[in-house]
Amino acid sequence: MSTLVGMQLSGRYRLDAQIGAGGMSTVYRAFDQNLERRVAIKLLHREMSSDSDQLERFRREARAVAQLSHPHVVGVIDTGEDENRPYIVFEYVEGETLKDRIRRLGRLPVDESLAYAIEIARALGSAHAHDIVHRDVKPQNVLLDPEGSAKVTDFGIARSLRDDGLTADGRVLGTTDYVSPEQALGHDVDGQSDIYSLGVVLFEMLTGDVPFGGENQIAVAMKHVREDLPDIQALRPEVSATTAAVLDRMTDKDLAHRYPDVPALIADLEDALAIEAARSGTSTGEATAVIRTLPARTQRRLPFRMRHSIPLLGVLALIGVGVAIVAILAGIGDVPERVERGTGPGRVESTPQGTKTVSVPRGSAQDYDPLGDEEEHSEEANRVVDRDDGTTWTTETYEAGIEGAGKAGVGIYIDARPEVEAVAIQVKTPKPGFKATIYAAPAGTAPKSVPDGWTKVGGGTVKDKDQRFKLDTGGKKYRYYLVWITDLGDSDSAEISEIRLFQEVAA
Ligand code: 3AM
């Protein structure tokens, strides 16, 4: 198939890379040249644009999502048509899908699984309140942004309950791993069907796998009709009876026994999260963020320490900031320009096309820990700019994760003085799996806390030992580039061997 990468839609959106493809459309990462920001564009396949059913379905998706403005729904920015091919412009979510995360990590922590289930449920609750049923809830359709928060997308087969005369039959579209019994049977579906599918997603987060396998999609769908899900507590013994009961009620085949609506479900998921967190005495990843949003009634289930530790530490940290000394990158003077030798015998580091490495002197890396003791192995910081993959900077050890220590993150930044418009960053690590947001700050002294004074320019999960992130500074030049680590993944510390910035080669 010919690629459309490089094309411009309606003179405004430049298609930069294909990031996904489905039966009826292709998803591109694109650049909005008017607003100078990255976007995601879903473009209907040419063959589909003459099919009035498909065209209507595509338009319906845009209309449905455009009604929703919700922190856990991937928002629609614009729609248009280019040479008779309709497209939808979405906000771009940097990061991985929930499916990728499960594939990468296997089972997720119990509290994190509940936290994602709550966020997805909140998104579905908002859709249902607008009479929109998603009908294709699956972890492939949940994007995790760099802060770790879940955003639901692909309302492609969503159907407004107010639309009459459209087929709502059980056309098999993609996977049936998450299909509700009533949908598999081709019955009319409503919001309760999304609750069943979300239950299957929760099961997969907790066990690392979907409940049913089969020779084909029909066989799997029939198991959803006929068989009970395997016992969650047998597969994951640390799951509480409360969580197991919530899961059972989400996936009950009998609609009279399943949760009637999302608000009832959310209340029970929130209780279950508080109970799991109280049992383990700590919280991980996204669970920490969701716990802060729990209603007071539910928070009371948590031990005092968990309810109060975060704000209290925040106040203490703010006092600390008054005397914080961040980054005095003292007189580096004239350092002879380094010769780019690359690392290892005969190996020259590749740079993204049209870019060159930003040359920074030794001494230009600084650890950054504004909410902690301001010490993250400072003596090792310069190892990330020494062009030696064998030497690393490590964060302190966080047994209960960064959030467990009451911090939003820890990091390390590069002083690219005087200033530069970096278009990409390379982070090398012997231990991938952590999550980082890249911030930039202008000339002057580096800001004393995050996000004050910093501008987010990129980030995501460091999935590979040699991870690159595109940066979008909106055309501005910045002096400081901060790798702000917000989640350590499976580990209790993060380790970085090299950080390198790239700038465009002047034409
Ligand atoms: O196939 P992977 O998992 O690499 O993350 C989505 C998925 O990537 C991505 O497109 C692929 C197919 O769905 N995607 C979809 N919508 C997106 C958005 N709004 C998106 N990526 C970023 N922003």
Side-chain angles (χ1 to χ4, degrees):
M1 205 176 71
S2 68
T3 175
L4 299 176
V5 168
M7 245 188 62
Q8 188 121 238
L9 293 185
S10 309
R12 173 168 180 182
Y13 303 105
R14 186 187 71 217
L15 301 182
D16 284 341
Q18 184 178 323
I19 53 177
M24 58 184 284
S25 59
T26 307
V27 184
Y28 292 89
R29 174 165 57 73
F31 190 73
D32 175 351
Q33 298 187 313
N34 282 8
L35 293 177
E36 297 196 338
R37 62 175 175 179
R38 197 173 281 183
V39 292
I41 292 194
K42 196 171 194 176
L43 182 66
L44 194 66
H45 290 164
R46 192 173 288 285
E47 318 81 73
M48 298 291 175
S49 29
S50 50
D51 177 333
S52 57
D53 266 6
Q54 300 291 353
L55 204 58
E56 178 49 28
R57 213 171 95 190
F58 196 73
R59 293 196 172 124
R60 204 163 55 233
E61 172 180 10
R63 276 201 302 273
V65 190
Q67 290 179 53
L68 308 176
S69 166
H70 191 275
H72 298 299
V73 174
V74 179
V76 167
I77 295 172
D78 190 14
T79 60
E81 261 180 44
D82 187 275
E83 294 180 8
N84 293 327
R85 293 179 66 182
Y87 60 86
I88 308 174
V89 185
F90 291 94
E91 67 171 296
Y92 186 80
V93 182
E94 186 95 43
E96 60 183 348
T97 67
L98 180 57
K99 187 75 177 180
D100 297 331
R101 185 168 176 82
I102 298 169
R103 280 203 191 108
R104 191 164 55 77
L105 299 176
R107 313 183 315 179
L108 305 186
V110 176
D111 58 351
E112 189 177 297
S113 305
L114 286 164
Y116 288 139
I118 289 170
E119 292 182 337
I120 300 165
R122 287 175 182 166
L124 294 174
S126 156
H128 295 177
H130 287 83
D131 284 337
I132 296 163
V133 183
H134 189 290
R135 304 179 80 235
D136 196 18
V137 175
K138 57 187 180 188
Q140 293 87 330
N141 287 339
V142 177
L143 305 181
L144 303 176
D145 74 12
E147 274 74 45
S149 150
K151 282 174 173 267
V152 178
T153 187
D154 210 350
F155 284 73
I157 58 169
R159 174 168 172 267
S160 166
L161 291 176
R162 281 189 282 247
D163 288 339
D164 281 326
L166 289 162
T167 51
D169 58 37
R171 232 182 318 181
V172 177
L173 293 143
T175 178
T176 55
D177 284 341
Y178 311 89
V179 78
S180 69
E182 62 274 20
Q183 196 173 4
L185 291 170
H187 298 167
D188 269 357
V189 301
D190 64 10
Q192 277 185 291
S193 175
D194 284 347
I195 291 177
Y196 181 93
S197 302
L198 177 56
V200 180
V201 175
L202 177 58
F203 179 95
E204 186 182 3
M205 289 192 277
L206 291 169
T207 65
D209 211 351
V210 292
F212 302 125
E215 279 192 357
N216 53 42
Q217 300 292 324
I218 307 281
V220 174
M222 285 328 288
K223 288 190 182 170
H224 281 286
V225 174
R226 295 204 186 109
E227 291 181 23
D228 284 335
L229 265 63
D231 179 9
I232 191 74
Q233 283 183 300
L235 293 167
R236 187 87 190 257
E238 72 262 42
V239 165
S240 69
T242 309
T243 301
V246 175
L247 184 60
D248 278 351
R249 207 173 155 209
M250 292 173 84
T251 53
D252 205 303
K253 297 186 197 312
D254 183 347
L255 290 169
H257 291 136
R258 197 182 306 160
Y259 284 102
D261 53 37
V262 169
L265 165 67
I266 290 177
D268 278 7
L269 282 172
E270 289 177 340
D271 274 352
L273 173 60
I275 286 166
E276 298 287 358
R279 265 163 58 117
S280 71
T282 178
S283 61
T284 48
E286 194 54 11
T288 311
V290 174
I291 283 172
R292 288 192 203 123
T293 69
L294 294 181
R297 166 188 58 79
T298 314
Q299 292 234 0
R300 279 196 284 277
R301 291 182 179 278
L302 290 166
F304 182 83
R305 186 177 52 76
M306 292 188 78
R307 269 178 281 155
H308 297 280
S309 62
I310 295 158
L312 200 64
L313 277 172
V315 172
L316 291 177
L318 277 179
I319 297 167
V321 164
V323 288
I325 306 154
V326 182
I328 308 301
L329 300 169
I332 292 148
D334 281 333
V335 177
E337 205 176 318
R338 210 189 359 266
V339 181
E340 280 293 31
R341 284 190 312 267
T343 53
R347 187 165 149 242
V348 175
E349 288 283 344
S350 69
T351 55
Q353 214 185 357
T355 71
K356 63 175 185 184
T357 304
V358 175
S359 174
V360 293
R362 236 169 234 282
S364 57
Q366 172 74 43
D367 62 299
Y368 190 68
D369 183 24
L371 289 188
D373 55 8
E374 298 161 27
E375 259 286 301
E376 285 286 334
H377 297 148
S378 319
E379 71 291 350
E380 297 176 350
N382 280 308
R383 295 179 182 172
V384 306
V385 288
D386 66 2
R387 297 290 179 263
D388 181 351
D389 288 1
T391 61
T392 62
W393 163 82
T394 19
T395 63
E396 292 179 79
T397 303
Y398 294 96
E399 251 140 38
I402 293 176
E403 294 89 343
K407 298 185 189 181
V410 296
I412 187 162
Y413 67 79
I414 305 293
D415 182 353
R417 69 178 191 170
E419 52 185 13
V420 64
E421 183 189 343
V423 295
I425 191 168
Q426 175 186 37
V427 177
K428 286 185 156 186
T429 173
K431 237 170 48 180
F434 60 89
K435 210 180 279 173
T437 305
I438 313 298
Y439 287 101
T445 41
K448 294 192 183 346
S449 62
V450 173
D452 308 345
W454 291 102
T455 301
K456 183 174 147 187
V457 293
T461 301
V462 175
K463 294 183 201 168
D464 297 315
K465 291 189 172 173
D466 180 344
Q467 178 74 47
R468 293 175 190 206
F469 296 114
K470 281 251 164 95
L471 302 181
D472 185 358
T473 65
K476 288 209 189 72
K477 290 184 174 176
Y478 289 103
R479 173 168 170 179
Y480 301 100
Y481 287 85
L482 169 67
V483 176
W484 181 240
I485 301 166
T486 53
D487 183 343
L488 298 172
D490 273 350
S491 177
D492 56 8
S493 65
E495 204 173 335
I496 297 180
S497 57
E498 286 298 310
I499 298 175
R500 188 194 282 246
L501 294 167
F502 300 100
Q503 66 188 125
E504 235 146 33
V505 182

